[in-house]
Amino acid sequence: VQLQASGGGLVQAGGSLRLSCAASGNIISIYTMAWYRQAPGKQRELVAAITNSGTTNYADGVKGRFTISRDNAKNTVYLQMNSLKPEDTAVYYCNQAIRATLFAASDYWGRGTQVTVSS
């Protein structure tokens, strides 16, 4: 199983970006999909998550600005980021809980995509 993330880049404050992360390989089921981020010198933190039933949760600092969604047919999770702020600058990582065998699901991570917001 591999996760391929895309959509990062450089944007001015107040702008928007949309991240995508597609899973490929021998996939039986995908459960929770999520986005994390890690800024320089800081720990990785959860940004947003969405369960396979569509329940979402967000970090307090992105509520009302970011929207997570998923396309189960494409094994893809999206993160629409609006009203971006310089403090959103970080490497963003996607995470998916995937059952690839008959055993329990495992966490898979994408490589990370850089988001830079200039002031």
Side-chain angles (χ1 to χ4, degrees), residues 51-84:
T51 69
N52 55 352
S53 62
T55 301
T56 58
N57 76 293
Y58 297 91
D60 287 343
V62 307
K63 286 180 180 177
R65 299 189 297 122
F66 291 9
T67 302
I68 189 169
S69 61
R70 61 191 285 166
D71 184 333
N72 292 326
K74 296 180 179 180
N75 296 332
T76 299
V77 60
Y78 305 96
L79 186 67
Q80 178 66 44
M81 304 184 293
N82 299 328
S83 302
L84 282 160

Side-chain angles (χ1 to χ4, degrees), residues 33-109:
M33 298 178 172
W35 289 95
Y36 289 74
R37 68 186 180 188
Q38 187 166 18
K42 294 188 177 181
Q43 289 188 332
R44 190 174 297 189
E45 63 175 358
L46 176 67
V47 176
I50 182 167
T51 69
N52 55 352
S53 62
T55 301
T56 58
N57 76 293
Y58 297 91
D60 287 343
V62 307
K63 286 180 180 177
R65 299 189 297 122
F66 291 9
T67 302
I68 189 169
S69 61
R70 61 191 285 166
D71 184 333
N72 292 326
K74 296 180 179 180
N75 296 332
T76 299
V77 60
Y78 305 96
L79 186 67
Q80 178 66 44
M81 304 184 293
N82 299 328
S83 302
L84 282 160
K85 304 176 181 180
E87 51 264 43
D88 295 319
T89 295
V91 177
Y92 284 69
Y93 297 90
C94 63
N95 170 276
Q96 296 190 24
I98 298 174
R99 176 182 285 186
T101 69
L102 295 178
F103 300 106
S106 298
D107 271 344
Y108 291 86
W109 291 89

Side-chain angles (χ1 to χ4, degrees), residues 13-33:
S16 297
L17 285 173
R18 188 189 194 213
L19 306 182
S20 301
C21 177
S24 61
N26 186 26
I27 296 169
I28 299 174
S29 302
I30 302 179
Y31 301 100
T32 299
M33 298 178 172

